[in-house]
Amino acid sequence: MNDIEKGKNTALISYITIIGSVIAILMNQEEKKSEFASFHIRQALGIFLTFFLLGYPIGYFDSWMVSSAFWLFIFILWFYGFLGALNGEKKIVPLVGEFYQKLFKNL
């Protein structure tokens, strides 16, 4: 069984809320760790942490245009990453994907 088939379920779970990312990290801690799953865990965790860290300050702008642009940006990143995991591809999310891969390289 190749690495993509082995880690696909774990990769998909990582995109289901921040709790799913934590569960996926725990699922991928076995001896035969999947690089495909690790890639998507790093992407999903980065997207969720970006949402939580930037979402609160963006809420202080009190503007529906700023808030909806932020929500749309996060949703597009999430959807792009989720589709990549669903299709068995290692596609880096636009703008911030490389940063997530470097930041969470130990996962």
Side-chain angles (χ1 to χ4, degrees), residues 73 77 92-99:
F73 173 70
L77 291 180
I92 292 183
V93 293
L95 299 175
V96 290
E98 287 288 337
F99 176 70

Side-chain angles (χ1 to χ4, degrees), residues 4-107:
I4 293 174
E5 290 176 11
K6 179 181 152 196
K8 194 169 188 177
N9 287 337
T10 306
L12 290 173
I13 289 171
S14 71
Y15 285 100
I16 315 253
T17 72
I18 189 82
I19 295 168
S21 292
V22 172
I23 291 170
I25 290 170
L26 296 174
M27 287 174 64
N28 202 38
Q29 293 299 320
E30 59 188 43
E31 293 174 6
K32 296 180 181 176
K33 190 172 174 176
S34 169
E35 182 54 38
F36 178 76
S38 294
F39 174 84
H40 283 287
I41 289 169
R42 290 189 290 267
Q43 296 288 297
L45 188 61
I47 291 169
F48 289 124
L49 290 179
T50 300
F51 172 72
F52 289 120
L53 293 175
L54 293 180
Y56 190 72
I58 292 217
Y60 276 113
F61 281 104
D62 201 26
S63 166
W64 68 270
M65 286 178 49
V66 174
S67 297
S68 59
F70 175 72
W71 278 84
L72 183 63
F73 173 70
I74 293 295
F75 178 73
I76 289 171
L77 291 180
W78 178 86
F79 191 70
Y80 190 83
F82 184 76
L83 278 182
L86 196 60
N87 292 331
E89 303 170 342
K90 288 170 111 177
K91 293 165 75 173
I92 292 183
V93 293
L95 299 175
V96 290
E98 287 288 337
F99 176 70
Y100 297 156
Q101 292 299 316
K102 290 176 187 171
L103 184 65
F104 302 118
K105 64 183 171 217
N106 295 329
L107 293 179

